[in-house]
Amino acid sequence: MMSKKKETMGRQRIPMVRIKKETHRQVTFSKRRAGLFKKASELCTLCGAEVGIIVYSPAKKPFSFGHPSVESVLDRYLSRNNLSITQTEKPQGNAAASSSVLNVELTQIVSQLEEEKKKGQAMAEMRRANAVRWSMTNWWERPVEEMNMIQLREMKSALEELWKIVVSETSTARQLGLRM
Amino acid sequence: MMSKKKETMGRQRIPMVRIKKETHRQVTFSKRRAGLFKKASELCTLCGAEVGIIVYSPAKKPFSFGHPSVESVLDRYLSRNNLSITQTEKPQGNAAASSSVLNVELTQIVSQLEEEKKKGQAMAEMRRANAVRWSMTNWWERPVEEMNMIQLREMKSALEELWKIVVSETSTARQLGLRM
DNA sequence: TAAACTATCTATAACTA
DNA sequence: TTAGTTATAGATAGTTT
């Protein structure tokens, strides 16, 4: 039986060293970058993983992949590395609950702000939020362990102001007819 | 010639959806994470690319790959993408980020809530949010001096989440042309 | 629990348009 | 140059050790 002439050599093994030819290297980069991101996507889908990838091309052009987003993954990673708190300790039931539910509340606020933005009434909230940020900026960057009592009181004040905003936002949302 | 009995089914196609079985998912995660990092390594070698990858397992355990290092890639990315909200804001690189051991759980909960919203189950969140106001009030009124480290950490974590929201909102407002 | 195996699936090197 | 095609190299799902 005649063997049909092969139309291509198919995939060939290539040595695992820097590709010398510029054009060839660029093509390989594009293809493999796409492949890498696809693999990452599959890892997220199949396993429920969260993945952030940043790639700089040979020409230093940036590409990124993120699930749920590059920022969320990076934030978590950077946060973890910036605190010298041992990861081994498990959060106590009580403590975990209160901060968890707080996050729930905060998540709600975000949605509410989204709603308000759509209605063109975001400015007041923005200003108030900015004010809070100002009051918090000083101690924000420091490890909790370094805070002294004065700073803690300031923190409490800032939180109280923050809480007022939260309450205000929720009531505003109510006025807008959002179900609470 | 006798055909040898096949010893395994070999690789089978799998549907691109979350793997339900816990153990199976964990194994797949380990294998595919290794594969992903290998692909990234090859991309670096072949093309001279710089790559940083952060992966959180289904159990929220972090893994990372970096060439030349995770930090160098992240630093470059963050310095390019760091949108400064106000000129008075100072953060050096990632200094703004700080968090607690609770961050992982909190973020997970937020994601779960987002899923619930998509499924039209907003009411449950509302009830839980109401619970917050209550649980929060409890510690809220207490003297700061009574707070222990765990509570402080959780407070800081919660505030950090809010901080991100504030920054995000102000940034979005800018993009919408709102004056701040 | 992990490491090894292997048949099969997937990614991609070389080629073409 | 970016987008398809093809055949082979490489990754991995299911299984065994």
Side-chain angles (χ1 to χ4, degrees), chain A:
Chain A
M1 160 181 181
M2 282 288 287
S3 73
K4 192 169 75 177
K5 176 172 174 275
K6 292 177 181 172
E7 298 182 1
T8 76
M9 299 165 58
R11 178 175 179 178
Q12 298 298 292
R13 180 180 231 273
I14 61 170
M16 193 47 57
V17 296
R18 180 186 172 86
I19 297 169
K20 290 179 180 175
K21 199 176 177 203
E22 163 74 25
T23 56
H24 184 184
R25 190 168 65 241
Q26 178 57 49
V27 170
T28 296
F29 174 79
S30 294
K31 287 188 174 184
R32 280 180 171 261
R33 173 174 47 79
L36 184 72
F37 286 2
K38 183 181 180 187
K39 289 284 187 187
S41 166
E42 293 181 347
L43 187 64
C44 296
T45 302
L46 291 173
C47 306
E50 294 188 19
V51 178
I53 305 182
I54 297 166
V55 176
Y56 283 94
S57 71
K60 305 304 176 189
K61 183 175 177 181
F63 300 85
S64 66
F65 168 91
H67 177 86
S69 73
V70 179
E71 284 66 30
S72 66
V73 177
L74 260 53
D75 284 347
R76 181 186 294 185
Y77 180 80
L78 294 170
S79 300
R80 194 183 80 88
N81 287 349
N82 279 353
L83 258 202
S84 55
I85 296 172
T86 54
Q87 299 290 304
T88 49
E89 62 181 8
K90 262 297 185 179
Q92 283 73 359
N94 235 352
S98 59
S99 55
S100 297
V101 284
L102 177 55
N103 252 275
V104 173
E105 182 78 349
L106 297 179
T107 305
Q108 274 185 247
I109 302 300
V110 177
S111 330
Q112 289 157 10
L113 285 172
E114 289 296 330
E115 287 302 314
E116 293 193 46
K117 269 193 290 188
K118 289 172 186 170
K119 301 181 181 187
Q121 301 180 350
M123 280 181 57
E125 289 76 21
M126 298 300 153
R127 283 201 210 89
R128 273 179 290 175
N130 249 353
V132 175
R133 183 169 61 74
W134 267 108
S135 66
M136 294 194 294
T137 300
N138 282 335
W139 53 264
W140 193 257
E141 315 293 344
R142 298 170 184 278
V144 172
E145 290 78 359
E146 289 179 19
M147 285 201 248
N148 60 30
M149 274 308 138
I150 293 175
Q151 288 174 314
L152 287 178
R153 291 178 200 281
E154 289 174 359
M155 185 183 195
K156 190 185 180 204
S157 298
L159 278 169
E160 285 166 346
E161 185 177 357
L162 184 58
W163 183 243
K164 288 173 190 166
I165 288 170
V166 169
V167 172
S168 165
E169 293 301 331
T170 51
S171 80
T172 302
R174 235 184 238 108
Q175 292 162 13
L176 292 171
L178 299 178
R179 290 195 314 182
M180 299 298 297

